[in-house]
Amino acid sequence: MKRLIAITMLAGLTMTAGAQANKWFQDIKLSGYGMVQYQASDKEGAEQNQFNLRLVRVALDGRVHDDFYWKLQMQVNGNAFDENASGKKNSLTIRMVDYFVEWQKYDFARIKVGQFKRPFTFENPMHPINQGFMSYSQNVSKLAGFADRTGEQASNGRDIGLQVQGDFLKNSDGRNLLHYQVGVFNGEGINTGDADNRKDIIGGLWVMPIDGLRIGAFGWTGSRAGIGEKNRYALSAEYARNDWTFRSEYIHSQGRGAAATDGDKADGLYALCIAPVIEKKLHVKARYDLYRSQKTWGSSKTFYEIGADYLFNKNLQLNVEYARVNERNGHYNYNLVDVELDVRF
């Protein structure tokens, strides 16, 4: 009889714990995507012709109670140094890219803590597939923490810290007209502590005067151990509506880079257009992508890109691009072809 009572009590506790868990941990889901890449280049002395795992990511996310959202994301990719993977040798790596919790009770003040995207530029936080091209633009890659000019480990635009962001000032249609975001970070990239005990402060503000249009400005001040201070700003504009996308961003950086050829200043600009041929199915695209490692024309590297993508369905996409590349520093002009097959699950 005592054993029966004990078993009954244990079953009751288990059911209660399960009910509490369901109450506290809600909507947990598994998702991810993979990007298989073929890239060929005829750059003199550095020809390449290779298949590459650009990215494979698996994520878990959900809610804790009603007000807290969390996410954990792991990455596998075929290049240890640069998400772009252009001109590098393949090396398979596995790492954690995201782990954060965000309090989302109020739209005007959401608080996030953990490891996540830095609040700098429009393009940085975009999904790699939705971003639209074979890589993030050069200025975002070099000046937002992908393969950063300061020499920090490749961090996919992420860092460890705390951020507050929000939307406010609704119009008559209930659409917010203003967005802000500001955060404090270690300044060393992902999975790394603060080596100099000085924090990076990054923030942005943008207006959304009409549906689909946003115009913003961003600022970043901080330092990196062994390199020194870095001060950056970005000016951004995007119009995305009815399957059309126009986007352009200029980034300026002051503070020396890790490479001997880097100057104390650098900047970059990109401008792109993605146009539907068949809405939600077939697009053509073009991008002008400039980066100057010393903020001089003699140090510029420019991509002139055209391409297309085809969506077999919402989970399978084929991308084809051609780029004519001009590197003034080495007096190189060469061709680059990129083909990618992207799968979501």
Side-chain angles (χ1 to χ4, degrees):
M1 185 67 176
K2 291 181 179 180
R3 181 176 296 179
L4 178 60
I5 292 173
I7 293 173
T8 302
M9 291 178 65
L10 179 61
L13 288 171
T14 302
M15 292 176 65
T16 301
Q20 290 295 323
N22 288 334
K23 179 180 179 180
W24 281 91
F25 294 92
Q26 305 169 9
D27 303 323
I28 297 176
K29 62 181 180 181
L30 174 69
S31 62
Y33 59 92
M35 307 175 77
V36 180
Q37 178 185 57
Y38 169 78
Q39 196 168 87
S41 166
D42 63 358
K43 180 179 178 180
E44 185 178 352
E47 294 84 356
Q48 66 164 324
N49 180 344
Q50 65 180 14
F51 291 97
N52 182 51
L53 296 180
R54 178 182 168 193
L55 280 177
V56 178
R57 284 183 179 165
V58 178
L60 280 173
D61 72 306
R63 306 195 72 84
V64 181
H65 208 247
D66 294 322
D67 301 330
F68 293 87
Y69 171 77
W70 62 271
K71 184 174 183 178
L72 170 66
Q73 183 168 221
M74 305 297 293
Q75 172 178 310
V76 180
N77 65 293
N79 190 292
F81 307 106
D82 182 3
E83 184 171 308
N84 187 341
S86 177
K88 304 283 188 178
K89 291 183 179 180
N90 282 344
S91 176
L92 194 65
T93 61
I94 302 174
R95 57 184 174 174
M96 181 177 72
V97 290
D98 286 299
Y99 174 67
F100 64 82
V101 178
E102 184 174 49
W103 183 57
Q104 298 181 337
K105 185 175 179 64
Y106 302 106
D107 288 341
F108 63 84
R110 300 189 297 276
I111 302 173
K112 182 187 294 187
V113 61
Q115 181 167 286
F116 50 89
K117 285 282 192 176
R118 289 165 164 137
F120 192 70
T121 76
F122 287 162
E123 186 167 280
N124 179 28
M126 290 182 178
H127 191 290
I129 299 176
N130 298 340
Q131 180 272 139
F133 286 80
M134 62 182 171
S135 66
Y136 289 83
S137 58
Q138 293 181 92
N139 59 356
V140 171
S141 178
K142 294 294 186 182
L143 303 176
F146 284 76
D148 201 275
R149 75 190 302 266
T150 60
E152 71 177 38
Q153 63 175 318
S155 296
N156 305 97
R158 292 166 166 84
D159 205 343
I160 305 172
L162 182 146
Q163 173 182 289
V164 180
Q165 66 175 335
D167 300 283
F168 60 100
L169 196 61
K170 292 182 183 295
N171 64 8
S172 59
D173 297 325
R175 183 175 57 82
N176 287 300
L177 301 178
L178 289 174
H179 174 88
Y180 76 92
Q181 50 193 34
V182 61
V184 55
F185 300 88
N186 281 342
E188 299 291 334
I190 62 174
N191 307 322
T192 304
D194 193 340
D196 62 2
N197 292 316
R198 300 175 62 187
K199 299 297 181 283
D200 284 13
I201 308 297
I202 308 173
L205 176 71
W206 62 78
V207 297
M208 299 166 282
I210 62 175
D211 191 20
L213 175 66
R214 53 179 178 162
I215 302 170
F218 301 83
W220 180 346
T221 183
S223 65
R224 182 169 185 268
I227 297 297
E229 292 188 0
K230 56 188 174 190
N231 295 290
R232 298 171 178 175
Y233 69 84
L235 302 174
S236 308
E238 180 186 61
Y239 181 75
R241 196 165 186 271
N242 297 329
D243 213 24
W244 286 81
T245 300
F246 299 92
R247 186 170 67 251
S248 183
E249 299 190 274
Y250 172 78
I251 308 175
H252 178 275
S253 176
Q254 183 161 7
R256 68 186 183 91
T261 56
D262 287 341
D264 183 60
K265 294 181 180 180
D267 69 351
L269 169 73
Y270 75 85
L272 63 83
C273 173
I274 303 174
V277 177
I278 303 174
E279 189 170 352
K280 307 295 185 183
K281 195 75 173 177
L282 175 64
H283 304 84
V284 293
K285 59 187 73 175
R287 180 171 70 171
Y288 171 81
D289 181 8
L290 165 73
Y291 176 68
R292 303 191 299 176
S293 62
Q294 300 177 16
K295 203 184 174 183
T296 63
W297 287 107
S299 66
S300 68
K301 182 176 182 179
T302 309
F303 287 74
Y304 304 90
E305 302 171 56
I306 57 172
D309 63 58
Y310 182 79
L311 285 73
F312 296 94
N313 56 51
K314 66 179 182 179
N315 295 321
L316 182 62
Q317 179 174 323
L318 178 66
N319 311 276
V320 179
E321 287 185 55
Y322 165 78
R324 181 65 175 175
V325 187
N326 172 251
E327 295 184 29
R328 291 196 180 185
N329 189 36
H331 304 288
Y332 291 114
N333 289 283
Y334 57 94
N335 303 296
L336 178 66
V337 174
D338 185 276
V339 181
E340 294 185 16
L341 185 65
D342 304 330
V343 179
R344 305 178 196 242
F345 61 88

